[in-house]
Structure formats: C-alpha cells, structure tokens
Amino acid sequence: MLAWGIGDGIAAQAAVSRVLFGMARDEQLPKFLAWVHPKYKTPWIAIFVVALITLPIATLLDLEVLSSLVNFGALTAFMVLHITVIAYYFFYKKERSPQGILNYLVLPLIGLVIIGFVWANLNIHAKTLGFIWLGVGFVVLLIVSRGFRKVPPALQV
C-alpha cells in the first residue's frame, strides 16, 4: 500500500503540475507557473506550488475524503464529457444513423448513468469541497473572460 501510495502520489503530482503549466502557458493562470527549469525541462514552479498545496491537504484529510475528492473531479469531468458527446454528435452534428444513435446517444447515456450513480454516492465532504472548487473555477473563468465578454486565449481557434 505504501509503494502504491508513493507511486500514485508522484504520478498525480507530475500530472497536476503539467496541467497548471499548460494553463499558465495558455494565459489562464499566472505566467510564473509556466516557467521551465533550464536543465531538467520540467515546470518546476508548478511542481513546488502543487507540493505546497497538497502536503497540508494530504496530512489533514483522511484517506477516504481525499480519495473521494479526487474522484469527484474525475467523475464530474467524465459526466461532462458524456454530456458533450451527446450534445455535439447527436444534437449538433445530427448523427442519427443506427450506429450514430448507439455511439453518440445510447452508450454515452449508459456511461452517464453509471458514473452519475458512483458520483452520487461519494463522500458528502468531498462533494462540498468539490462544489467549492467548481465555484472558485467559475469565478476565475468570469475574471479571465471579463464576464463572458472575451474568449479566453485557450479557447480561441
């Protein structure tokens, strides 16, 4: 269990720091998070920021709440993904062939129901923290998009 925890912790640390790096590079977060170490070519500032945030969280929260919090984010993202597939392919692109109905409506709906069931049974503290985090993200989006009047650089095509 210790080896699993350390291995997953390092992988999660690397993944989150690279997400912050990408968002900073796309001007969604402060530029200093996009600084790359000259020798190791890693987003070293983002790695340290993630470490400074996760260390107290990992030591203060119990494992159940912490894993539920991580699952809240992942499951919420997957639910949004399933909804997006249905909206884009089935409604916008009008993929109404039998194969399109199966691939772009039935299967995403099945996935949405299964993930929604798991999501609904998450720890209540994880849901509370998750919704707070979503609220913070929404406020950041409001600021970056100037009240939804400007398209953020990452979304410009």
Side-chain angles (χ1 to χ4, degrees):
M1 191 154 150
L2 182 62
W4 166 80
I6 291 172
D8 278 1
I10 291 171
Q13 176 93 7
V16 170
S17 65
R18 278 161 176 73
V19 168
L20 294 180
F21 164 78
M23 291 177 71
R25 185 191 56 210
D26 291 341
E27 300 176 10
Q28 301 302 300
L29 291 175
K31 280 284 194 196
F32 69 87
L33 292 170
W35 292 350
V36 176
H37 192 278
K39 181 178 178 184
Y40 301 111
K41 308 296 186 217
T42 56
W44 66 281
I45 298 288
I47 291 170
F48 282 117
V49 168
V50 170
L52 288 172
I53 292 170
T54 56
L55 183 62
I57 290 172
T59 55
L60 295 175
L61 293 178
D62 70 7
L63 190 57
E64 180 186 352
V65 174
L66 190 57
S67 64
S68 288
L69 184 58
V70 170
N71 289 335
F72 176 90
L75 293 172
T76 301
F78 283 124
M79 286 192 304
V80 170
L81 173 71
H82 283 79
I83 292 167
T84 304
V85 166
I86 294 168
Y88 183 75
Y89 287 104
F90 189 74
F91 291 108
Y92 181 72
K93 289 283 195 175
K94 302 204 184 307
E95 295 280 347
R96 304 291 169 84
S97 68
Q99 189 68 35
I101 291 171
L102 177 68
N103 289 342
Y104 305 124
L105 181 65
V106 174
L107 293 176
L109 278 175
I110 291 170
L112 186 62
V113 168
I114 292 170
I115 292 170
F117 177 77
V118 174
W119 184 91
N121 289 296
L122 287 175
N123 183 299
I124 189 68
H125 300 300
K127 286 187 206 172
T128 303
L129 285 171
F131 280 118
I132 290 169
W133 191 246
L134 282 174
V136 169
F138 186 75
V139 169
V140 169
L141 179 61
L142 273 172
I143 293 168
V144 169
S145 67
R146 307 228 189 324
F148 298 115
R149 290 188 302 268
K150 176 185 170 213
V151 177
L155 299 178
Q156 293 175 356
V157 179

